[in-house]
Each structure stands twice: as C-alpha cells, then as structure tokens.
C-alpha cells in the first residue's frame, strides 16, 4: 500500500517536471530576442528609435518599437491645422536634425516664435522675451502630427533597421529585478508578453508609454502625481488681420493662463487652462460665443488690482532710472474672428514625476518619467532631452562593451536628467500656484517680480538660454 502511494507520487512529480520542461522549451522556441525594446511609438518613443537607428554604434543591435496604434502609412500633410501643438526649442530642433526629422518638418510646416509676451490680468505687469537680432527664433510651433509624421518618415529609411510593430501592445512585463509572487524571476532579461501571445526578450526595455506608463508600473518605480483640477482647452483660431504672426502671447488669469501660439500669418493655436466646468462650457457654446469668450479673456480688465498697479508704477519708474531702456515695449495681442470647425477639445492637467527613471534593464523617458503643466510649453522638450541623453549613455555602454541593461550606466542617465528636469518641474509648478490666485499681497509680489525681471536684460538672456537647453 505504502509502495503504491510512493510510486504514484513519483509518477505525478515526473509528469509535473516533464510538463514544466516542455513548457520551458516551448517558451524558448516561441520567444523572440531584441537588444532594445521601446514601448510606445509617440513622438518621444519614435524619436528614441530614430536616434538609435541613425547611430553607427547600434548597427548590429536589434531594436524593436512597439506601437499600439495602427500603421497610418506615409504622413500626408492635411490642409487644416491640428489642435495639438508643441513649442519646440532650439535643442530639440538640433536633436531632430541629427536624423533628418527637422528638415522634414521644415518642408511641411512650422512657425517660428521670435517674441513672447506674458502679462498678468490682475495688474499691468508684463515680461517680453526675444533674441536681440530677432533672426534666431525662441522656438517653433509645430503640430504633434507633423512632428510624429516627420520622425516616422525618417525611421522608415534609417540605415539601422528598426522592427516597428504596429497594433502591438504589452499584456505584461516580466522584469528580473522585480519580485513576482514573492520571488525574483530567474530569467536574465526583461520578457515582454504581447497581447497576441508572443514573447519578446530584451536586454533593455525603454518605457515611452505616457503618463499612465505600464512599464513604470511593472518596474514598480514610485511616482509622485497630483491633479491640478484644471483642464486645457485647445482650438485653432483665425485671426482678424493677416500679419507677420511670430509672437507667442500668454495672459495669466486667476483660473489659469490663456495662450496664443502662432501657426501661420492667419492662424494661432489656443491653449486655455481653466476649471473643468468652464472647459466643458467652452466646448458646448456656439462658435460665435466661444470667439467672444476668447477675446474677452485676453482683453478684459475685470481682475485689475488697484494696489498692485500703483506698486507696479512706482517700481517701473524706479527701474527706468536705474536701467534706462531696459523695459520691453508692450504690444497688443491679435483679435480672434473665428475658430476652425471641430478643433475645440480639452484634456485634464496633472503633474507626474517618477522618483527613479531607471532600474536594471529598464529606463523611462518622456511622460512615462515626468509630466508637467503646459504653461511654459516645456513638456515634450524634456522628453526629447531624455532621448538625447539616453542615446549618449547607451553609446558609451557600447563603446566600453558593457551590458546595455546594466544599472551602472543607466544611473548616469537618471542623474543627468533629474538634475535638469526637477528644477524645471518645480519652477513651472510654482508659477502655476503663484498665478492661481487674486489675493492682493501675492498679486503685488508677483507683479513686482515680473516687472523687475522684464527690466533686467541679462537675467532674461539667462532665462532664454535655460529654456532653450
């Protein structure tokens, strides 16, 4: 009796071991291998793939780009402007130029920003930025679709071929350094399990999959996040007069900033930050009422604070005596006469920042690592900065013969980018909070500060240099 039970147990154990062995063998057969897998084929993820594809160091590396959206083929420039745009700074333009995407953008369409004027609705304080000779733009306004279309064009003709998998999304990520069911996985590489059942093993997984990053979640990288309880209303605006439209306008209202970003001589892109209820209202009202609301937000003086204005007059007079000619001349913003059909939309605003951008065999870039308020237009530029830095770090790893997924060099990327990104996030978050009130003492302090900076040319040059990096 005891012997039969023993034999039966041995058979069961042998069957389990055989099944485990067969399953392991099948997994080994079915899995595909790559040196680098990039999750997310948006602007930042696609540019990461392009940056590697045009670098000779990665000529013998297998790179896979996973994009959940379908392949749209070669990008065709639409007649109408898109309502989602970016303000690309000079550093981003330089990065895109290294693999030809900026040249593609210039052949399609983009609009230079040669001057920027920012002013407060609660006082007469303002600040204006421009390059001294006005020949070099502060930035270029480009539609998101144009940027991505240009990058994908370059990716298709890259010297190092990238395996771009459209309509491919991950079901799960199995990361060696992350405990699973209480135990660390013994598999040496990251295993990506796709929705269609395919398995993909990689030495390095790059998460470029947005603010709700699945890679960040699977890697158990802690993130700090909060909602601003605001929404950004976007639209394409038609201006009253066809002029040399190269000025970016931004006015701070108590509910949030409203900005006009130039698209052409006749059109500008609207980014209006306001409360969720007001955003919903702005999307529902007729076009004529919407145009009236936009013009009113830019021109009205209902928020003016008498005490702040008196303080500004005194400070301005004092500064003009100390720094003659330092104060920039105020220009009047354009009048809006129409809005492109079906261009109105809105999206919620939040701050997201990962405490760490890396762990062994994993790196985060773009919104997966950080997402910030759009008031300064720096979000996507930070993402492109991540691409440039990570490319350089991986290039050094290849030169030294290191493992691409080694934490030693990935930490270099994290350190460099956090030193750059954190001050930007903190500054923009602070500005958002500073300008989200009409409390008189705060209005006076911020108004005096804005007018003072506007009078100090050297300080404005420094700000421009930091925003361009």
């Amino acid at each position: 009796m005891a012997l039969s039970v023993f034999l039966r147990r041995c058979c069961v154990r042998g069957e389990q071991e055989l099944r485990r062995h067969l399953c392991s063998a099948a997994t080994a057969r079915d899995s595909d291998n790559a040196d680098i897998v990039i999750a997310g084929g948006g602007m930042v993820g696609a540019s990461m793939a392009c940056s590697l594809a045009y670098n000779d160091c990665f000529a013998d590396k297998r790179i896979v780009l996973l994009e959940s959206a379908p392949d749209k083929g070669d990008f065709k420039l639409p007649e109408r402007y898109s309502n989602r745009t970016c303000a690309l700074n000079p550093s981003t333009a330089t990065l895109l130029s290294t693999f030809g995407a900026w040249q593609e953008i210039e052949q399609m369409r983009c609009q230079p920003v040669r001057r920027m004027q920012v002013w407060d609705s609660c006082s007469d304080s303002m600040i204006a930025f421009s390059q001294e000779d006005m020949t070099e733009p502060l930035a270029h306004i480009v539609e998101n679709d144009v940027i991505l279309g240009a990058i994908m064009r370059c990716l298709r003709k890259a010297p190092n071929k990238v395996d771009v998998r459209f309509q491919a999304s991950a079901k799960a990520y199995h990361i060696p350094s992350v405990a699973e069911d209480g135990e660390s996985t013994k598999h040496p590489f990251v295993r990506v399990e796709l929705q269609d059942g395919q398995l993909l093993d990689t030495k390095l997984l790059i998460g470029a999959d947005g603010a709700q990053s699945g890679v960040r979640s699977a890697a158990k990288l802690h993130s700090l996040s909060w909602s601003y309880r605001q929404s950004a209303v976007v639209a394409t605006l038609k201006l009253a007069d066809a002029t040399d439209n190269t000025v970016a306008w931004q006015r701070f209202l108590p509910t949030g900033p409203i900005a006009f970003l130039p698209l052409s001589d006749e059109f500008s892109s609207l980014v209006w930050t306001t409360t969720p209820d007001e955003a919903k209202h702005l999307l529902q009202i007729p076009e004529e009422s919407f145009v009236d609301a936009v013009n009113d937000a830019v021109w009205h003086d209902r928020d003016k604070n008498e005490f702040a204005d008196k303080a500004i007059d005194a400070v301005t007079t004092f500064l003009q005596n100390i720094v003659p000619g330092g104060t920039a001349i105020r220009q009047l913003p354009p009048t809006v006469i129409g809005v492109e059909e079906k261009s109105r939309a809105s999206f919620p605003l939040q701050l997201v920042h990962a405490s760490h951008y890396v762990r062994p065999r994993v790196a985060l870039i773009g919104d997966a690592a950080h997402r910030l308020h759009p008031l300064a237009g720096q979000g996507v530029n930070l993402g492109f900065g991540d691409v440039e830095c990570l490319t350089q770090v991986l290039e050094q790893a290849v030169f030294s013969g290191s493992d691409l997924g080694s934490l030693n060099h990935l930490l270099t990327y994290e350190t460099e980018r956090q030193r750059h990104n954190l001050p930007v996030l903190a500054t923009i978050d602070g500005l958002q909070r500073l300008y989200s009130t009409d409390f008189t003492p705060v209005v006076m302090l911020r108004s005096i500060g804005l007018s003072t900076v506007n009078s100090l040319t050297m300080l404005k040059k420094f700000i421009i240099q930091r925003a361009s990096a």
Side-chain angles (χ1 to χ4, degrees):
M1 182 72 175
L3 180 61
S4 63
V5 170
F6 174 76
L7 291 174
R8 200 161 44 240
R9 286 179 177 173
C10 287
C11 290
V12 170
R13 287 175 182 171
E15 183 180 349
Q16 289 175 340
E17 288 296 324
L18 179 61
R19 187 181 297 119
R20 192 176 294 118
H21 174 75
L22 292 174
C23 182
S24 176
T27 299
R29 284 197 307 272
D30 295 339
S31 65
D32 196 0
N33 296 293
D35 293 287
I36 300 172
V37 171
I38 303 167
M43 292 183 289
V44 173
S47 68
M48 185 75 236
C50 241
S51 183
L52 299 175
Y54 281 80
N55 190 314
D56 292 340
C57 292
F58 303 95
D60 62 343
K61 305 298 181 185
R62 183 158 186 248
I63 302 164
V64 177
L65 176 65
L66 303 177
E67 170 53 40
S68 59
D71 185 2
K72 298 178 182 177
D74 189 38
F75 178 73
K76 305 296 183 184
L77 186 67
E79 183 178 341
R80 291 188 175 183
Y81 289 93
S82 169
N83 60 4
R84 297 300 299 272
T85 61
C86 293
L88 301 184
N89 66 22
S91 291
T92 294
T94 300
L95 169 69
L96 297 178
S97 296
T98 60
F99 46 81
W102 183 249
Q103 293 83 342
E104 292 280 354
I105 289 171
E106 289 183 312
Q107 289 178 10
M108 288 187 277
R109 63 187 177 210
C110 62
Q111 185 74 351
V113 176
R114 304 193 184 281
R115 190 175 191 271
M116 182 174 184
Q117 181 171 300
V118 180
W119 72 106
D120 194 339
S121 68
C122 295
S123 73
D124 286 329
S125 64
M126 55 94 50
I127 189 170
F129 297 99
S130 63
Q131 298 286 16
E132 286 184 356
D133 55 9
M134 300 292 282
T135 57
E136 291 298 321
L138 297 171
H140 284 84
I141 307 302
V142 191
E143 299 150 84
N144 293 12
D145 291 344
V146 172
I147 298 170
L148 182 57
I151 294 171
M152 293 305 295
R153 280 185 185 179
C154 295
L155 191 56
R156 287 188 172 92
K157 56 187 180 184
N160 308 337
K161 293 304 176 185
V162 173
D163 180 7
V164 183
R165 301 189 183 184
F166 293 99
Q167 293 182 290
S169 56
K171 181 180 179 181
Y173 299 102
H174 304 283
I175 300 170
S177 56
V178 178
E180 295 182 348
D181 299 327
E183 296 183 4
S184 294
T185 176
K186 296 179 180 179
H187 191 70
F189 301 131
V190 173
R191 173 158 287 175
V192 182
E193 184 180 348
L194 301 178
Q195 292 289 353
D196 61 4
Q198 293 186 54
L199 299 176
L200 187 58
D201 294 338
T202 181
K203 297 174 183 175
L204 175 63
L205 173 64
I206 299 176
D209 50 345
Q212 307 301 322
S213 173
V215 174
R216 187 181 68 228
S217 177
K220 296 185 179 179
L221 290 167
H222 174 266
S223 63
L224 176 72
S225 65
W226 59 74
S227 169
Y228 283 111
R229 288 179 286 184
Q230 292 179 317
S231 293
V233 176
V234 294
T236 302
L237 306 176
K238 183 170 178 57
L239 307 181
D241 301 310
T243 59
D244 183 24
N245 185 24
T246 58
V247 180
W249 309 89
Q250 185 172 54
R251 189 186 198 197
F252 280 99
L253 306 170
T255 52
I258 181 171
F260 293 174
L261 308 176
L263 290 172
S264 69
D265 287 348
E266 296 181 352
F267 292 96
S268 282
S269 179
L270 171 73
V271 183
W272 186 354
T273 300
T274 187
T275 64
D277 288 342
E278 178 64 14
K280 184 178 179 180
H281 172 71
L282 290 169
L283 297 184
Q284 294 174 341
I285 59 178
E287 177 184 330
E288 295 80 6
S289 301
F290 181 79
V291 170
D292 289 342
V294 170
N295 284 321
D296 179 70
V298 173
W299 289 95
H300 80 74
D301 59 2
R302 293 187 298 273
D303 302 327
K304 280 292 179 69
N305 186 301
E306 181 181 349
F307 296 102
D309 274 344
K310 288 181 178 178
I312 289 299
D313 289 341
V315 170
T316 301
T317 301
F318 174 73
L319 290 172
Q320 284 177 343
N321 291 330
I322 297 177
V323 191
T327 303
I329 299 173
R330 182 185 297 269
Q331 290 183 261
L332 297 179
T335 300
V336 177
I337 60 172
V339 56
E340 285 283 83
E341 185 180 2
K342 297 182 180 179
S343 70
R344 280 184 280 174
S346 71
F347 53 92
L349 301 179
Q350 63 176 156
L351 180 144
V352 178
H353 188 261
S355 302
H356 295 282
Y357 294 179
V358 302
R359 70 162 54 250
R361 304 209 176 280
V362 177
L364 303 179
I365 59 175
D367 281 2
H370 44 74
R371 187 174 188 177
L372 62 162
H373 199 284
L375 69 86
Q378 289 299 304
V380 74
N381 290 307
L382 295 186
F384 285 123
D386 296 343
V387 169
E388 182 178 16
C389 181
L390 185 55
T391 300
Q392 293 171 354
V393 167
L394 295 179
E395 181 181 312
Q396 186 59 43
V398 173
F399 275 136
S400 62
S402 302
D403 183 351
L404 288 173
S406 170
L407 188 61
N408 290 334
H409 59 265
L410 292 180
L411 283 173
T412 301
Y413 158 73
E414 177 181 274
T415 301
E416 288 187 18
R417 291 312 295 165
Q418 288 204 348
R419 283 177 178 172
H420 181 276
N421 295 344
L422 277 170
V424 176
L425 264 73
T427 300
I428 292 174
D429 183 67
L431 285 172
Q432 189 275 333
R433 296 175 187 279
L434 181 65
Y435 279 92
S436 294
T437 180
D438 55 3
F439 184 51
T440 296
V442 176
V443 172
M444 292 179 67
L445 286 173
R446 76 191 186 202
S447 298
I448 291 171
L450 197 65
S451 295
T452 301
V453 173
N454 191 45
S455 300
L456 303 176
T457 305
M458 293 302 295
L459 181 55
K460 289 201 292 184
K461 283 183 179 179
F462 175 76
I463 294 172
I464 292 173
Q465 290 171 355
R466 292 291 297 172
S468 300

